[in-house]
Amino acid sequence: MAPLLQLSGVSKRYGGVQANAGIDLRVDAGTIHAILGENGAGKSTLMKLIYGVERPDEGQVFWQGQAVALSSPSDARRLGIGMVFQHFSLFETLSVVQNMALIVPGSKAELATRIRDLGAAFGLSVDPQAMVHSLSVGERQRVEIIRCLLLNPKLLILDEPTSVLPPQSVALLFDTLRALRAKGMAILFISHKLEEIRELCDCATILRQGRVTARLDPRQGTAHDLATLMIGRPMPPPVHPTPHGLGEERLALTALSFANEDPFGVSLKDVSLSVRGGEILGIAGISGNGQQELAALISGEIALKSSASSVTLMSHPVGDLGAAARRKRGLAFVPEDRLGRGAVPDMSLADNALLTAHSRGLVQNGFINRKAERAFTAECITRFDVRTAGPQAEAGSLSGGNLQKFIMGREMMLNPSVLLVAQPTWGVDIGAASEIRQRLVAMRNAGAAIVVISEEIDELFEICDRLQVLHKGHLSPSLDVAATSVEQIGTYMIGAAA
Amino acid sequence: MTILAFILAGTLAAATPLLLAALGELITERAGVLNLGIEGMMALGAAVGFVVTYNTHAPVLGFAAAALAGLALSLVFAMLALGFMANQVAAGLAIGVLGLGLSSLIGKPLESQTLDAPAKLAIPLLADLPVIGALFEQDLVVFLTLALAVVIWAVLNHSKLGLIIRAVGENPSAARALGFRVLRIRLAAVAFGGAMAGMAGAYASTIYTPLWADGMIAGRGWIAVALVVFGTWAAGRIVFGALLFGALSLGGLIAQAAGVALPSQLLASLPYGVTILMLAVISSNRRRMRLNTVASLGQPFAG
Ligand SMILES: Nc1ncnc2c1ncn2[C@@H]1O[C@H](COP(=O)(O)OP(=O)(O)OP(=O)(O)O)[C@@H](O)[C@H]1O
Ligand SMILES: [Mg+2]
């Protein structure tokens, strides 16, 4: 029988970058096929070619044995291809059900029921009437997945669907995907989490610099072997922070309460935390429990006019100050959504660097010092191994993981006294992720106070000194990483702790 | 007729040209395109509508010709703004000036000519009510325009077409990733806005004041654009703004007739100022602005 989907010799070039070169791929019905590769290896590009968002420069796509020319995603959907994008394709000013109605036929009431049913069946519950702008990144991912499933595709493409899902949802999603596979659906699955791929996938194709470098069965061999194949060299071992002397208190929240005006947002209740120089505090918890609000309150995106003293930086009350004033006092911040809040997609990397690094001599007498701006950007690119054409590349043209490396690098190069990072390694390949973690630990050792908000428990256990868990706007007491367990954190995450 | 009845009777007709143009611009802007050439498109529609109606004595033909003229001019704008990705503000201003020029040229031979005012339609029973009865005795276009406002509200908020238009305006690249033809949708939205502006002009020159005078649109195209922005891209608030403007401009006339001791220039500018002030107050609600603002408005989109 002809394979469901076959690519032969597919190539795609973006200006000077050969994103895909002569790729052959075969996907059979009833299988889950992993696509692996470093950031910028060309995975998303390949998926966009299959979904008709981009057209290949060379090569041919076959669907059920027939040569097809996909000129738009609606062609692909007609054939039975569905795709969940790495960068969300949701519309923030529309509700969940309106977003679905854009491509799924049916009345709104019908759709809302189907959304609830699918959500219940697959553990992807979302409120169909919620506005998308009020959803967390994790919830948006669920919305995207449901939108695809509503169309009953024959081939489902998932571009890093699990990078922002909490562990419980990942397990549920995998059960869903296995059930779909049993029904004969083919799934193309991109992830940087190799254990997941070994657990779920029947076969894997590894890309490096736009070319296929290996095809294998991921269940043979260890995650370590896969990693070595992917990055072309052995993986560096994880670095656990060693205990050392702590500095003075740098950041503190004292009994901070925040009533959210947004009916779909989360209100924070009586949140307290304190971070000293030389330590990493991890905020665990399933996204949508107040992470966005907490991050915004610390960064200054939300300023509380009435209670300045509920947030202190270096013992100065800053609760009423905006983001720029807090940055001036030594705070740096990496938001969870990198396109839009972390970076401006159609500005060059150099101009994006300027946005937060303007105090580093990049602006003189009100004029931009282009030379300094370029030098700063170039240094960030080399030090943090950002794969891109150079400082003049548009931020939006970087692959997801590379953009994250760039934003992390930009903030780290400011040598902040306090660094707040939300989802530091979301979508970053394992080589680069371990590098980012190493750098966070190195900053801690050099005396910085660091707060990491993450859904990845393993990551938090690897780099943090202490953990606090956010659940429904409440923050748990501080737990020493050495004296707690993944299970204990898990019970706090679902609100079951006494 | 009491003063109140006079204002009630005239407000709807005074608001109609603004409303026609603003509803068209609403669709254009919701799709992410800022068309600042509305004033010129209205003026061109007014001249073409007047000339055709004058020569054929068929107001329907006049409206149709005006719609086509507005549409044609908006396509020139679309060619610059969408085709060549020119700056939308500059392209809109240039096209607006072109429209004003064409309008003077076309209308010149008929300067100061008049047309017969069309008959009014009275809604049975309602029109017989005391005082407010005057509200229900209007020309056909007034009723059609109000109906159209309801239709546009329903389309934008409750139809798939409306969702697509809003999606394209908010995030054109995501819309493209889902397979929508962003440029085609924007082109259609611009064309619709152009045709509506043309008809707005025809209403002003053939029904509201059936007399040709160069420059008769007198900034009403700009008010229409302002109504859309300050009405936070919501059909209901745009209708409110248009009615307010209509009522105030009549109120000004009455005050002048009654000999109020204010300079006439001040009275004439009052409706412009008060309408914008009112709408600015309404749109100062940040949450509402955030939810309604068209995120990609005025930004060129390739592909
Ligand atoms: N629209 C674009 N314009 C220019 N270059 C692009 C564009 N899209 C992708 N690229 C480049 O093509 C290469 C492959 O990118 P792609 O997004 O496919 O990587 P990826 O494997 O999905 O990486 P990641 O794991 O980080 O998501 C990168 O070097 C990227 O910078
Ligand atoms: Mg990618």
Side-chain angles (χ1 to χ4, degrees), chain A residues 43-45 86 159-160 190 399-400:
Chain A
K43 306 179 295 293
S44 296
T45 305
Q86 181 178 6
D159 196 347
E160 302 196 23
I190 299 184
S399 78

Side-chain angles (χ1 to χ4, degrees), chain A residues 51 53-54 71-74 77 85 88-94 98 101-103 108 131 133 147 262-263, chain B residues 157-160 163-164 166-168 170-172 174-181 287 290-293 299:
Chain A
Y51 193 56
V53 180
E54 304 281 357
S71 58
S72 111
S74 37
R77 282 200 297 271
F85 290 89
F88 306 118
S89 53
L90 296 175
F91 302 94
E92 301 205 342
T93 58
L94 304 182
Q98 286 177 322
L102 273 170
I103 58 170
K108 279 209 197 106
M131 299 295 292
H133 69 83
R147 184 166 66 180
D262 186 337
Chain B
N157 293 291
H158 297 287
S159 79
K160 179 157 173 187
L163 286 183
I164 294 175
R166 287 163 62 186
V168 164
E170 181 191 319
N171 189 343
R176 172 165 176 262
L178 289 181
F180 296 112
R181 315 257 169 184
R287 192 169 139 68
R290 178 169 160 225
L291 278 180
N292 282 327
T293 302
Q299 293 162 14

Side-chain angles (χ1 to χ4, degrees), chain A residues 38 192 194 222-239 428-438 462:
Chain A
E38 288 183 277
H192 289 295
L194 301 177
T222 63
H224 196 85
D225 300 338
L226 280 179
T228 313
L229 270 174
M230 230 175 81
I231 62 179
R233 60 192 142 81
M235 271 286 295
V239 278
V428 176
D429 71 49
I430 42 166
S434 85
E435 218 166 287
I436 286 179
R437 291 188 199 120
Q438 282 176 8
E462 186 184 319

Side-chain angles (χ1 to χ4, degrees), chain A residues 235-242 280 425 430 433-441 444 456-467 481 486:
Chain A
M235 271 286 295
V239 278
H240 291 281
T242 45
I280 303 184
T425 57
I430 42 166
S434 85
E435 218 166 287
I436 286 179
R437 291 188 199 120
Q438 282 176 8
R439 287 183 196 271
L440 284 170
V441 171
R444 159 199 182 268
E456 291 196 44
I457 298 195
D458 294 341
E459 170 170 279
L460 291 172
F461 269 84
E462 186 184 319
I463 60 172
C464 296
D465 298 288
R466 291 184 296 115
L467 290 178
V481 167
V486 172

Side-chain angles (χ1 to χ4, degrees), chain A residues 12-20 35-48 54 86-87 159-160 190 192 207 210 338 387-389 394 396-403 427-429:
Chain A
K12 176 77 191 174
R13 224 187 148 75
Y14 287 113
V17 184
Q18 188 77 46
N20 286 161
I35 306 289
L36 290 174
E38 288 183 277
N39 293 135
K43 306 179 295 293
S44 296
T45 305
L46 187 61
M47 299 305 115
K48 286 182 191 158
E54 304 281 357
Q86 181 178 6
H87 294 126
D159 196 347
E160 302 196 23
I190 299 184
H192 289 295
L207 299 184
R338 48 192 163 224
R387 311 278 166 83
T388 170
E394 273 183 18
S397 76
L398 263 65
S399 78
N402 276 307
L403 185 57
V428 176
D429 71 49

Side-chain angles (χ1 to χ4, degrees), chain A residues 163-201:
Chain A
S163 36
V164 288
L165 292 184
Q168 292 89 328
S169 306
V170 170
L172 274 170
L173 174 68
F174 283 10
D175 290 342
T176 309
L177 297 182
R178 289 194 190 98
L180 295 170
R181 168 173 64 187
K183 284 196 210 152
M185 192 185 289
I187 297 169
L188 270 169
F189 186 87
I190 299 184
S191 170
H192 289 295
K193 298 180 188 169
L194 301 177
E195 287 301 341
E196 285 181 350
I197 285 179
R198 282 169 28 82
E199 194 187 322
L200 183 73
C201 301

Side-chain angles (χ1 to χ4, degrees), chain B residues 172-276:
Chain B
S173 28
R176 172 165 176 262
L178 289 181
F180 296 112
R181 315 257 169 184
V182 173
L183 288 184
R184 271 189 223 177
I185 292 162
R186 290 191 163 177
L187 177 65
V190 169
F192 177 78
M196 290 285 284
M199 290 198 284
Y203 183 85
S205 71
T206 65
I207 299 183
Y208 188 57
T209 43
L211 154 118
W212 180 251
D214 193 17
M216 66 172 302
I217 295 303
R220 279 178 285 185
W222 289 109
I223 284 290
V225 173
L227 284 176
V228 176
V229 176
F230 289 112
T232 61
W233 296 273
R237 280 188 280 274
I238 291 172
V239 172
F240 168 77
L243 292 177
L244 181 69
F245 184 87
L248 286 168
S249 49
L250 289 176
L253 287 182
I254 293 170
Q256 237 165 308
V260 172
L262 280 173
S264 68
Q265 291 86 344
L266 190 69
L267 280 173
S269 68
L270 204 65
Y272 296 84
V274 174
T275 303
I276 289 191

